[in-house]
Amino acid sequence: MRRLSYTAAAAVLGGSITAGQALSEEWSYRASVYLYMPETQTGLDTPAGSVEATLSFKDALENLNVAFMGAFSASRGPWTLVTDYNFTDLTFSNATPGPAYSGLDADLKTQFLSAYALYQVRDSAEMRVDVGAGLRWFSTDTRLTLQPGTSPQEVRSTDQSWVDPLIAARIRVPLSDRWNFMGMVDYGGFRSGSETWQVLATVEYSFANNWNVVGGYRYISFDHEVDNGDYSFSQSGPLLGVTYEF
């Protein structure tokens, strides 16, 4: 029986922009809440072999429960500071090939916090470009249980956390008075045995004073060596949310 404690998401990392907008010397802020509907994949290498589990986007929709995820940004002049926190608690089952095991139960508790300092390098009527650097903290408590078939039950788990440095770039394009596009990429790790990266693209619509609705797509990946084996975790899928500016 499959059950799922799923996630709502916030991954704003952006801001609205109007053509010819002047840089402000006053602080401005953005707070966002999102529903994130990804496919989730995880894998864990152990001395006994590699175990992988996948929760498809279709299955996620059929078994969706909502949790919280949020982002906050502060801007002044050419500088923008961004934080993005995500907590995911997933419990689901996969079939396994062959008679050795009757199934795979996955219990994944993951959380990560991304923090950036971005500096504007281009501001024109056509686009605004920011580049910067930051850090991403990732923590996981993963338990993968192979249910008995012709072989006895096996449990493989890891409980780890780590921090990776990041570089990032962001582009924002005004499409009209109310519509804006934002794209962002980041990459981190820069050391043997640890890598993370993200691609985020959103379209934002301003429907009232200080309020915006945002839709888009996000892919985020983690790969890290734990206990002399490789741990991987990735999520990809659409998101939909609301942002308040003040």
Side-chain angles (χ1 to χ4, degrees):
M1 174 176 158
R2 174 177 292 139
R3 64 185 179 87
L4 170 65
S5 176
Y6 210 57
T7 181
V12 158
L13 307 181
S16 60
I17 176 176
T18 56
Q21 179 178 347
L23 293 178
S24 173
E25 294 305 318
E26 300 293 329
W27 284 102
S28 62
Y29 307 94
R30 292 168 58 87
S32 308
V33 175
Y34 281 74
L35 177 67
Y36 184 36
M37 300 164 283
E39 176 181 276
T40 298
Q41 295 182 320
T42 190
L44 180 62
D45 288 343
T46 73
S50 178
V51 180
E52 296 182 351
T54 301
L55 178 67
S56 72
F57 176 44
K58 177 182 177 182
D59 289 338
L61 289 177
E62 293 173 353
N63 298 274
L64 182 64
N65 295 317
V66 177
F68 178 76
M69 180 179 172
F72 182 82
S73 67
S75 300
R76 183 182 181 184
W79 288 98
T80 300
L81 305 177
V82 180
T83 59
D84 175 23
Y85 175 74
N86 183 348
F87 175 81
T88 304
D89 186 347
L90 298 171
T91 303
F92 60 96
S93 299
N94 282 167
T96 52
Y101 300 101
S102 59
L104 171 65
D105 294 336
D107 185 356
L108 316 177
K109 294 180 178 66
T110 62
Q111 55 183 328
F112 59 86
L113 175 68
S114 303
Y116 310 85
L118 302 174
Y119 185 81
Q120 181 181 298
V121 295
R122 178 177 176 179
D123 184 17
S124 70
E126 291 78 24
M127 71 177 63
R128 183 170 175 178
V129 180
D130 305 285
V131 297
L135 297 170
R136 178 172 291 137
W137 169 76
F138 184 85
S139 176
T140 183
D141 182 2
T142 297
R143 181 183 177 91
L144 303 177
T145 303
L146 290 161
Q147 298 297 345
T150 57
S151 298
Q153 183 185 81
E154 289 191 39
V155 178
R156 302 172 188 179
S157 63
T158 185
D159 187 354
Q160 300 280 338
S161 62
W162 60 87
V163 177
D164 286 318
L166 299 171
I167 55 174
R170 182 179 71 179
I171 180 173
R172 288 171 290 169
V173 179
L175 304 176
S176 70
D177 290 344
R178 290 183 176 270
W179 289 92
N180 296 280
F181 168 81
M182 190 279 293
M184 182 170 180
V185 296
D186 66 43
Y187 179 83
F190 305 104
R191 56 193 165 118
S192 176
S194 193
E195 182 181 56
T196 182
W197 61 282
Q198 175 181 227
V199 176
L200 174 67
T202 63
V203 176
E204 183 175 74
Y205 175 73
S206 176
F207 65 90
N209 287 341
N210 302 327
W211 288 97
N212 308 289
V213 61
V214 183
Y217 187 89
R218 180 187 196 184
Y219 178 88
I220 189 165
S221 173
F222 301 87
D223 201 313
H224 190 80
E225 186 175 309
V226 296
D227 301 326
N228 298 317
D230 183 65
Y231 169 82
S232 62
F233 177 86
S234 66
Q235 289 187 317
S236 59
L239 58 86
L240 180 66
V242 176
T243 297
Y244 179 69
E245 301 177 331
F246 56 101

